[in-house]
Amino acid sequence: MLNGDTKNNSCSSNWDSSVHLPVWVLGTEKNAIEGRIEEWTDQFESCGADIHSLAINLQKPLRPLWISQRTRIWLNEVPEIESWDFTPIILISASALDAVATQRMSSEFSWQYIPGAGDDEESWARGLTPTLFWKHSYDLLDAGPDHCNQLVADIVEKDRVYRAQRGEHSPQITAKPLKGYDDIKCNDDRTSTMWPMNLDPCTSATDAQCSSNGHLLFWIGTSNLAVSSTLQVADALVGVDCILNCDSTSKLPSNSSENSYLELSIVGSKDDRFSLMKNLSKAIDFAKRNLLAGRKILVCCQNGEDISICVALAIVTLLFDDNGCFDCGNSFMKRDITKLEMRKRLVFICKFAVNARPSRGNLKQVYGFLSNEKERLSRLT
């Protein structure tokens, strides 16, 4: 329970703090969940999330409301939200309540149900974004299954052409050439230089400038790392010295030298479960050399939400200490690589890259790479 309103303390004293789960959760699963509440609470409190700001803005405690395909709601019987004694978190499940795949062949439109496919839009959306869907929702719903795929293809292609004509898909990239890059070694005296990160987002002029006006470039504190979409790179090169392009679909034209520009063809985990892991070593080396020189790096991928975030997570975990200071990886061997440790650093990144949406498959690859890297380095010592 999170409640920041002292005026509601009398109400909170009678608050039902038991676990509230949907009716379709079995008793054994409910017992297992109840047994881990304290553990999850401790992890949440230690992950670095800004819980205090959330709590002081809540007028009432949080409580989940569960909605599934079988839920029936009579709108005229729903009370006004002001009369509720809690702040609702509405959780919607598109999945069927049973775990087995089902299909319907008797209706006009046939379909096969696959559990969990609702949040796997890369495999079925065919490039259609939420914005495009709602813009053309009536046409899409009227098209029916026989014409829907072709209509989606036409909508996506027209949008691509529209953006390409405005330069959004073919940005001209000019990065500053790096001088003396090959002379920098990890045993140089510069390894003692520390650049502490800001603990709060948007505290520097660079953050404010590059995260405004629709330009999705986010500086991760004062780490000299930024993340962005390749579609926004042309308009967001303020203060950028070098570019790490992780977009397999976009070849950024560049006049820069190979020392200030690295292109890694990384695809999503749905297409290749090991694509990110196989390229992280090159990304880390590129980042280490440029960070040693005090240069600012832009990490970009197609949408700026997944692969670039995961690459930044690997860099921050391997090359920065617990205080957020760059140390060339010296502290990496002194701490355990756990999922909780990674979660803390991901939360830190998300404070700045507010559009971050890393996929589970790519996060698993980062965790696997870091675990393997620590084992490799331990054998060398």
Side-chain angles (χ1 to χ4, degrees), residues 111-325:
W111 51 267
Q112 181 172 357
Y113 172 73
I114 303 174
D119 59 354
D120 193 15
E121 74 273 11
E122 298 96 338
S123 64
W124 55 262
R126 299 174 181 268
L128 191 69
T129 63
T131 301
L132 287 177
F133 170 79
W134 288 111
K135 184 178 180 180
H136 302 277
S137 58
Y138 291 107
D139 294 334
L140 289 167
L141 295 174
D142 290 339
D146 294 333
H147 306 288
C148 183
N149 288 345
Q150 183 58 51
L151 180 57
V152 169
D154 293 342
I155 291 172
V156 172
E157 177 61 18
K158 288 179 181 178
D159 182 69
R160 186 196 67 79
V161 172
Y162 175 84
R163 293 178 179 276
Q165 289 174 346
R166 286 152 180 78
E168 295 183 25
H169 278 255
S170 55
Q172 298 298 315
I173 303 301
T174 303
K176 302 174 184 177
L178 306 186
K179 298 180 180 180
Y181 176 91
D182 294 328
D183 296 332
I184 302 173
K185 304 299 180 182
C186 198
N187 59 0
D188 193 279
D189 291 339
R190 304 188 192 199
T191 56
S192 59
T193 304
M194 310 286 267
W195 295 288
M197 299 182 188
N198 292 329
L199 296 180
D200 296 313
C202 297
T203 55
S204 69
T206 305
D207 294 335
Q209 180 179 5
C210 294
S211 299
S212 62
N213 301 323
H215 300 159
L216 300 181
L217 186 149
F218 301 101
W219 289 101
I220 304 173
T222 52
S223 65
N224 281 354
L225 280 176
V227 293
S228 175
S229 162
T230 50
L231 307 183
Q232 301 285 341
V233 165
D235 300 318
L237 282 179
V238 178
V240 171
D241 298 312
C242 44
I243 299 171
L244 174 53
N245 178 18
C246 306
D247 186 356
S248 63
T249 65
S250 179
K251 306 293 184 181
L252 301 180
S254 174
N255 296 325
S256 59
S257 69
E258 62 179 9
N259 293 333
S260 59
Y261 178 81
L262 177 63
E263 189 172 271
L264 300 175
S265 184
I266 304 176
V267 299
S269 59
K270 299 295 185 343
D271 298 315
D272 186 342
R273 291 187 301 163
F274 304 102
S275 177
L276 176 61
M277 184 182 294
K278 289 184 292 189
N279 285 278
L280 279 177
S281 180
K282 296 178 182 178
I284 294 294
D285 289 342
F286 180 81
K288 180 188 292 185
R289 293 171 182 170
N290 284 287
L291 289 172
L292 274 169
R295 297 184 173 98
K296 297 182 178 180
I297 307 171
L298 171 62
V299 184
C300 54
C301 65
Q302 185 176 26
N303 58 18
E305 301 174 359
D306 185 5
I307 294 176
S308 59
I309 299 296
C310 290
V311 171
L313 175 61
I315 294 171
V316 169
T317 305
L318 205 153
L319 299 180
F320 289 76
D321 65 14
D322 292 335
N323 296 318
C325 297

Side-chain angles (χ1 to χ4, degrees), residues 333 373-381:
M333 292 300 298
E373 187 69 6
K374 184 170 184 178
E375 183 179 348
R376 183 185 70 85
L377 293 174
S378 63
R379 292 197 298 265
L380 299 177
T381 57

Side-chain angles (χ1 to χ4, degrees), residues 20 59 62 240 246 296 369:
H20 285 250
Q59 300 300 312
L62 298 175
V240 171
C246 306
K296 297 182 178 180
F369 167 79

Side-chain angles (χ1 to χ4, degrees), residues 79-127:
E80 294 295 329
I81 192 169
E82 291 80 8
S83 66
W84 297 6
D85 59 356
F86 60 87
T87 300
I89 301 178
I90 301 176
L91 304 174
I92 302 175
S93 174
S95 301
L97 300 188
D98 48 16
V100 297
T102 58
Q103 59 183 357
R104 177 180 294 173
M105 302 297 294
S106 57
S107 64
E108 179 184 359
F109 302 137
S110 300
W111 51 267
Q112 181 172 357
Y113 172 73
I114 303 174
D119 59 354
D120 193 15
E121 74 273 11
E122 298 96 338
S123 64
W124 55 262
R126 299 174 181 268

